[in-house]
Amino acid sequence: MLPHSQQGQGPITFVLMHFLGGSHRTWGPTIPYLDRQHRCVALDTPGFGDANAVTGYTVSEMADQVDQSIRELGLERCILVGHSMTGKVATVLASRQPSYLHGLVLVAPSPPGPQPMREADRDRQRAFDASREQAEAFVDESSFHRLPDDLREVAIADAQSVNLEAWRAWVDHGSREDWQGRIGSLPYPALLICGADDRQVPDAEEQGRTTLAHFPHSAVLTLPGAGHLMPLQTPRALAEQMLAFAHLIATRITEGEG
């Protein structure tokens, strides 16, 4: 089972996954806005956070381990929440149509196809060495608007603790994997949330053509004043959208059981 944190209770479980270089701690500022109404389980994916020594870095292997963890925890009525790198993982896991899944929230997700990236940027990302200097630069570039100092330190510590093999596996392989032809059309409601000032992944218009092409029942929105690190940067605004989405799903479940 993947290392994780969990808190809260409610009709829906948010299964929270992090961005490249993050951990379950990424969701720390957002969870207090969610856990009064729903259970929150934040996972560390292989090579990151407390899963630093866990192997299995392909998109499929990460999906396998998330799925196994959900099943071992006995979670039901789940919303998968993928952030950046793990947005791709969440979409691939959804394509397996597990019985516990009722919807997806994709926060600035990496698309199902190859991640659009200039080779110079890919080379620079590949050269990341987890030093304090590079971790600071990575966090500041990702957030666009500087994070509050205390939260910035959490993000920097996460970036410094990564398993560099996992990091480079994503840069060279995971981000390049093309799942577009294997996912098909999925029946789940999906909410895709972009940051207005995000320079790391495609914008809302492009995400609508790519990621959301697999989700006929979907919506996309953009949060103002947000870069790539919305769970740290705009936690309340992000949580409000997640709660509204979960309320719709919980209502549908209740009506279906009535």
Side-chain angles (χ1 to χ4, degrees):
M1 184 185 300
L2 292 170
H4 61 278
S5 66
Q6 58 177 315
Q7 60 197 73
Q9 295 293 329
I12 299 291
T13 298
F14 287 112
V15 178
L16 304 160
M17 296 178 286
H18 57 80
F19 72 109
L20 174 72
S23 77
H24 73 274
R25 298 172 183 87
T26 301
W27 288 96
T30 307
I31 288 174
Y33 296 105
L34 302 172
D35 68 354
R36 294 180 189 276
Q37 298 184 45
H38 299 287
R39 187 176 186 181
C40 297
V41 175
L43 299 171
D44 287 331
T45 58
F48 300 94
D50 297 338
N52 177 280
V54 178
T55 58
Y57 309 137
T58 68
V59 174
S60 181
E61 287 172 326
M62 286 190 278
D64 287 344
Q65 295 193 57
V66 171
D67 178 64
Q68 180 181 353
S69 298
I70 291 171
R71 295 181 188 279
E72 289 185 11
L73 287 166
L75 303 181
E76 300 176 347
R77 298 176 174 176
C78 295
I79 294 176
L80 286 177
V81 185
H83 179 201
S84 192
M85 171 184 75
T86 57
K88 190 171 192 172
V89 175
T91 301
V92 169
L93 179 50
S95 71
R96 303 176 185 180
Q97 301 194 29
S99 60
Y100 53 74
L101 183 58
H102 287 268
L104 296 92
V105 175
L106 303 172
V107 180
S110 179
Q115 174 89 20
M117 186 183 295
R118 296 183 306 168
E119 283 307 310
D121 292 335
R122 196 177 292 276
D123 290 343
R124 184 163 58 91
Q125 197 173 68
R126 185 185 300 110
F128 180 75
D129 64 5
S131 66
R132 169 78 190 195
E133 180 181 10
Q134 289 200 10
E136 287 181 350
F138 169 72
V139 169
D140 291 343
E141 181 178 324
S142 297
S143 54
F144 191 79
H145 305 287
R146 184 183 172 97
L147 295 172
D149 287 346
D150 290 347
L151 294 181
R152 183 172 178 266
E153 287 301 318
V154 171
I156 290 169
D158 272 348
Q160 288 193 271
S161 72
V162 302
N163 182 317
L164 289 175
E165 184 178 348
W167 177 284
R168 291 165 186 154
W170 172 256
V171 175
D172 288 329
H173 304 290
S175 67
R176 296 180 188 268
E177 290 185 27
D178 189 352
W179 285 84
Q180 295 172 100
R182 290 177 276 179
I183 291 173
S185 180
L186 301 178
Y188 305 104
L191 173 63
L192 195 152
I193 305 175
C194 299
D197 300 317
D198 191 345
R199 302 294 183 267
Q200 306 296 312
V201 294
D203 62 16
E205 184 178 354
E206 181 63 21
Q207 293 278 16
R209 290 194 295 266
T210 56
T211 304
L212 292 186
H214 300 285
F215 297 96
H217 310 293
S218 61
V220 59
L221 59 87
T222 300
L223 293 185
H228 192 58
L229 305 186
M230 285 174 274
L232 291 162
Q233 193 164 52
T234 52
R236 183 175 179 179
L238 177 61
E240 287 173 350
Q241 298 299 331
M242 293 171 64
L243 288 172
F245 181 71
H247 176 73
L248 291 174
I249 290 177
T251 299
R252 290 174 186 172
I253 291 173
T254 300
E255 291 174 348
E257 292 177 347

